[in-house]
Amino acid sequence: MGRDGRTAEDFLPLHPLEFRILLVLTEGPAHGYHIVREIESADDSGRRLYPANLYRRIRDLGASGLIEECPAPDGVPAEDAVRRSYYRPTELGLTVAREEAARMESLVGDARTRGLLGARS
Amino acid sequence: MRGVLLRLYRHALRLLPRGLRRTHGEQMATLLADQLRDARSPAGRLRIFVGAVADALAVALAFRWERRGRGNGRFAVAARSLLRRKGFLVGTVGTLAVALGMLTAVWTALDYTSLRPLPYPEDHRLASANGPLVTPEMVRAWERGAPGIAAATPWTLDAAVVRGAGDPRNVRTMTVDAGFLELLGVRPVMGRLLTREDVASGRRVAVVSESLWESQFGEGSPLGGQTLSFDSQPFEVVGVIPRDFRFGRYRGIEAWLPIADSVPRASALLLLDPGRSPDDLLPELTRFSLDRVDPTLAAQFEDGDPRNPPLRMYALREMLQGSSRPQLVGMALAGLLVLVVAAANVSSLFLARTEERREEFAIRRALGAESGDVVRDVLAEAALVAVLGGGLGLLCAPWILDALLASAPGLLHGLHEIRIDGRIAVFAAAATVLAVLIVGVLPALAALRGGSVVSRERAGTAGRGTLRFLDGLAFVEIALTMLLVVGAGLLVRTWVVLFPAEPGFAVEGKLTMEFQLPEDRYPTAEAALPFVEELERATASLPGAPGGEIATSIPFDGLWWMVPVEALDGARPADDRPGDIHFRAVTPGYLELMEFDLLEGRTLTEEDAGSALRRAVVNQRAARAFWPDAPTPLGRTVTFDTGAGPVEWEIVGVVADVRTEGTGTTARPSIFMPLASAPQRRFLWVVDASTGVTAADLRSVVRGIDAGVPPGEVQTFEERIGTAMTLPRFQLTLLGTLAAVGALLAGLGCFSVLAYRIRRGRRELGIRMALGARPGRVGSRLALRMLTLGGGAACLGAAGAWTLSSWIEATLFLRGVSVRDPATYGAGLLFVLLIVLAAAAGPAVRAMRVDPAHTLRGDG
């Protein structure tokens, strides 16, 4: 349950950017620039992700208890560890990401059933 | 570049809510630093920066809307609409940012150099007076009972050879009354200032600067009855004042002695009653003074000749900072001109965009939107652009200011540390936003044209009405550009004529040395002549036989030798008004050595020097002032007294005016006569150093002639002029930059409107080519049409500029300077036609390559 008593379901649907951030963080703690690079490389629209937008979402995710700040992972140079904040998903965050993925999968399956998308290869 | 962008971005982050900024602002900046570091090129870096700022703005706006609910939805729509057209957004915001940044920086610089308070208490009440009526006695009479004056104290400039415990020195001095230094807020570092008793009793006491004190008695030595001899007269030092005290532009003054009542002419430092100004006080004070001298004179001065008034008064700030009203007005106007151009550009870009969106507006109105909604949407976009451009401009202003100041080292003499002034920034920003909103009304109203019926025009095409409208817009824009380019050119040209940034004589490669021959060895002025002759002979024997001349006053020596003219052409001036002339006794080759321009007659010769006939050369200003109606002053005479009784001089030549002091002031009436006919104990030696003569050579020459004369300080003319020309040069830089930015912005606006007009007309071209017209013919017709449009508009603009120039002539500047310069008009026309060609060429060529079928489908 979230900080304000909300359950995972209450967070759905997630904002696309928040979902992307959670997806990146499921792989392990990451800092802002790492998240930006991962999202930009996964998104083939070529659109850039700029700092204010990213951190606004990070703040919202943090305020809802879906992610939290964490110490830098081992092996990170000391200068980077001081300069950057690292984030990781909370249990609730992982649950929300999973439920959002399942929600999307069901949506896509529906689209496929109705012939909007081709059959899965 | 990265550092600058990051600093700007940190400023932009202030737009965000404080909470977000505090928790994540640092991380945002770190992230942007990483993104900038990894960008491949400077252009890429700039793109990322612009994107990041726009992103911060969008996030900031989103927060506001979330907080305010739906009330501000209009701005959200406007922001999204603007973000869809990035080129338009960058063009309008950039234009405003440049204009506002320039305006803030230039007005700040103006404020500091011309309007700031002087570093004296009550500086706004301080004034200076001079003229034939000003004597120490008169100044004391003013203090006792003249209207509007709270305090008055006389002063003069002088020089002396100073001897103490150290080496003898030539020193500039001031003779002052008690109260002079107090009025300027001077506090002694040791001892005291001059008192009334000192002056009244004629005691020989002196206040000296820290620098003179240290040179004579050593650093840190305590004050205790030491004496210094000034021209062999012992003076007890009673006080030492800070070395950095300056009385305006008077440089190098190191001692203040009590003024003698017998001084025939002085200047006065005045403290005016609160609320009084020199201009409104002058008539009263003149009448008061004349009544005391000779009441019968008063009536004659009632409607006096403005050229030669018996009394002149200036606000001290005006006199010391040397800025005159026309200069300030001209500069402020140039700043406003840039703002007007920017606002007009933004307005025309909005007009063009509104035209493009007519279909959208028509649909919205058909769906039930009120006219007011549409108008408010366009105004909301204008407001957003104004705020963004204004913000960016204010962020850039400090850098622009730094760049401008870098062009004028030493400008402020350390009096002020210059910073962007908050009040000016707010005023300039408010002016920008207001200007954009005012001009934004036009596109907003244009959005209503076309009624509520959905237009049949398709995207990417334009109908006849639209093209005609855009033609009209381009016409107005071109005419305005022409008006502004010519106006700016004329303003700069007039400025250069009136306030030249160059001194007007040969500055390079000359050494100067200042002398004051000691009174004990040279008791009279005539006694100085053998020394002068020796000096001339010795100059010729120096290595390379350099040219060397002697003058009692040279440009930028900071001391004026003004005397009243007693008669013109053998008679007292017809109106019996005294006038002043600046006299300079020179050796015959002086005018040639300094390369003064000879306008009429001849310069001085050796024969003039030896002749009993008194012959002299005047400057242009004197010729105009004393013989305004005569075709030539040659053969005329002028009589004045330089200390040995009235002498009549015959004019044999006229030279051009040169600058003799720093800022803004016009030349004074001057006369050059042979030194042999009017010797002085104080003079300056100018030597052509291009032959390799050094300062040491000059000093050894002086010691060789008379070991009892201390050689003065050797300075080049560049050192002598020092920062005195910095302000006029800086002002010219400011004006030139403003004019160039104005012309550039006008050109850009003109270009974008024209290019847009041509792009919108492509369908028409496609139809023509579909109907069989040859591409070459279509292209040349288009070019011809644009040139006709451009030519017609330029003519209208030129007519406007002609009217404007009459106004400049009549109101801003002095008479007698023609501002109707054909070359400026020609250059303006060329500039405008080049813009038209540049805007038309690319689209015309592309239009010729267009596939007609493609265009007709509406894709082109």
Side-chain angles (χ1 to χ4, degrees), chain B residues 280-607:
Chain B
D280 85 272
L281 200 56
L282 183 61
E284 277 176 74
L285 197 61
T286 307
R287 210 169 304 122
F288 175 90
S289 313
L290 287 169
D291 280 343
R292 295 183 62 86
V293 179
D294 179 358
T296 59
L297 275 177
Q300 297 177 31
F301 281 98
E302 283 298 312
D303 41 28
D305 178 350
R307 276 197 313 262
N308 296 314
L311 184 63
R312 285 182 290 263
M313 263 174 99
Y314 315 91
L316 194 67
R317 181 185 299 173
E318 189 182 314
M319 182 190 135
L320 299 187
Q321 292 177 330
S323 293
S324 53
R325 203 174 184 77
Q327 280 174 302
L328 289 177
V329 172
M331 201 70 91
L333 274 185
L336 275 181
L337 179 113
V338 170
L339 185 61
V340 168
V341 175
N345 271 4
V346 171
S347 175
S348 57
L349 285 172
F350 262 104
L351 271 174
R353 181 170 145 82
T354 307
E355 197 55 35
E356 187 183 316
R357 295 170 64 191
R358 263 177 64 197
E359 189 172 0
E360 174 198 330
F361 292 136
I363 291 173
R364 285 183 51 195
R365 293 181 66 199
L367 292 176
E370 297 287 327
S371 303
D373 284 332
V374 172
V375 170
R376 274 193 289 272
D377 282 349
V378 176
L379 280 180
E381 285 187 18
L384 268 186
V385 163
V387 169
L388 271 181
L392 198 60
L394 290 183
L395 290 180
C396 297
W399 280 283
I400 298 178
L401 183 63
D402 284 350
L404 287 173
L405 289 176
S407 71
L411 176 72
L412 298 163
H413 323 297
L415 287 184
H416 301 293
E417 189 191 343
I418 189 161
R419 253 186 250 113
I420 289 290
D421 186 279
R423 290 163 308 156
I424 291 180
V426 168
F427 176 75
T432 308
V433 173
L434 192 70
V436 171
L437 287 182
I438 289 172
V439 297
V441 170
L442 204 61
L445 294 178
L448 297 179
R449 287 189 334 124
S452 57
V453 184
V454 176
S455 162
R456 281 178 291 119
E457 296 164 13
R458 295 167 57 191
T461 65
R464 188 175 271 272
T466 302
L467 287 185
R468 215 176 284 150
F469 173 76
L470 288 173
D471 275 345
L473 189 60
F475 188 88
V476 172
E477 184 82 28
I478 294 171
L480 198 63
T481 302
M482 179 73 186
L483 175 75
L484 290 171
V485 169
V486 173
L490 291 175
L491 197 62
V492 171
R493 193 181 157 275
T494 312
W495 189 284
V496 170
V497 171
L498 288 177
F499 310 111
E502 295 308 324
F505 60 89
V507 171
E508 294 81 19
K510 292 191 179 59
L511 292 176
T512 64
M513 186 190 272
E514 196 170 325
F515 285 98
Q516 171 79 23
L517 295 182
E519 208 170 353
D520 49 348
R521 301 176 77 85
Y522 300 89
T524 62
E526 282 70 27
L529 272 180
F531 182 90
V532 169
E533 283 159 14
E534 276 294 319
L535 202 55
E536 277 192 288
R537 261 198 295 282
T539 317
S541 67
L542 279 170
E549 302 293 340
I550 293 145
T552 54
S553 167
I554 61 175
F556 295 92
D557 61 6
L559 298 172
W560 307 331
W561 298 82
M562 302 292 284
V563 289
V565 168
E566 301 197 350
L568 289 174
D569 303 323
R572 283 190 71 80
D575 46 11
D576 205 17
R577 283 171 202 141
D580 283 345
I581 195 157
H582 183 165
F583 78 93
R584 293 151 182 242
V586 299
T587 47
Y590 173 79
L591 294 172
E592 281 86 357
L593 180 70
M594 297 290 285
E595 296 180 33
F596 282 31
D597 282 338
L598 181 69
L599 302 177
E600 275 184 73
R602 61 176 177 83
T603 55
L604 298 173
T605 63
E606 293 291 344
E607 288 74 52

Side-chain angles (χ1 to χ4, degrees), chain A residues 32-33 36-37 40 48-56 58-59 83-85 87, chain B residues 9 20 24 27-28 30-31 34-35 37-38 48 51-52 55-56 59 62-63 66:
Chain A
Y33 193 35
V36 167
R37 273 185 307 193
E40 284 180 351
R48 276 195 170 275
L49 179 54
Y50 293 108
N53 198 10
L54 175 77
Y55 279 101
R56 172 207 181 179
I58 285 183
R59 191 190 77 151
R83 204 163 69 100
R84 304 173 195 278
S85 299
Y87 305 95
Chain B
Y9 183 67
L20 178 62
H24 293 85
Q27 288 298 308
M28 291 181 203
T30 306
L31 172 51
D34 289 330
Q35 288 179 314
R37 186 195 60 215
D38 290 355
I48 290 176
D55 169 63
V59 169
F63 270 100
E66 277 171 18

Side-chain angles (χ1 to χ4, degrees), chain B residues 150-235:
Chain B
T153 172
W155 58 273
T156 66
L157 289 171
D158 207 344
V161 177
V162 174
R163 289 195 185 86
D167 294 332
R169 283 179 61 190
N170 273 296
V171 166
R172 290 189 173 183
T173 62
M174 275 179 110
T175 66
V176 298
D177 206 346
F180 178 84
L181 292 170
E182 282 91 339
L183 260 188
L184 296 172
V186 179
R187 299 232 166 103
V189 288
M190 285 193 284
R192 59 174 177 85
L193 301 179
L194 299 177
T195 61
R196 284 191 188 283
E197 294 69 49
D198 290 334
V199 181
S201 65
R203 278 182 65 197
R204 292 209 172 128
V205 292
V207 169
V208 301
S209 75
E210 268 180 299
S211 55
L212 180 61
W213 177 259
E214 286 170 8
S215 77
Q216 295 302 315
F217 302 108
E219 202 175 331
S221 61
L223 183 72
Q226 292 94 330
T227 55
L228 282 174
S229 95
F230 288 81
D231 277 349
S232 310
Q233 307 279 356
F235 280 70

Side-chain angles (χ1 to χ4, degrees), chain A residues 17-86:
Chain A
L17 181 55
E18 292 179 353
F19 183 49
R20 287 242 189 227
I21 295 170
L22 274 174
L23 281 185
V24 173
L25 294 183
T26 52
E27 292 176 356
H31 55 71
Y33 193 35
H34 179 80
I35 299 172
V36 167
R37 273 185 307 193
E38 287 295 312
I39 293 179
E40 284 180 351
S41 65
D43 182 353
D44 50 13
S45 72
R47 269 189 318 198
R48 276 195 170 275
L49 179 54
Y50 293 108
N53 198 10
L54 175 77
Y55 279 101
R56 172 207 181 179
R57 296 297 166 189
I58 285 183
R59 191 190 77 151
D60 289 352
L61 286 169
S64 313
L66 301 189
I67 63 170
E68 61 189 1
E69 236 183 290
C70 65
D74 294 341
V76 169
E79 186 206 333
D80 262 11
V82 173
R83 204 163 69 100
R84 304 173 195 278
S85 299
Y86 284 76

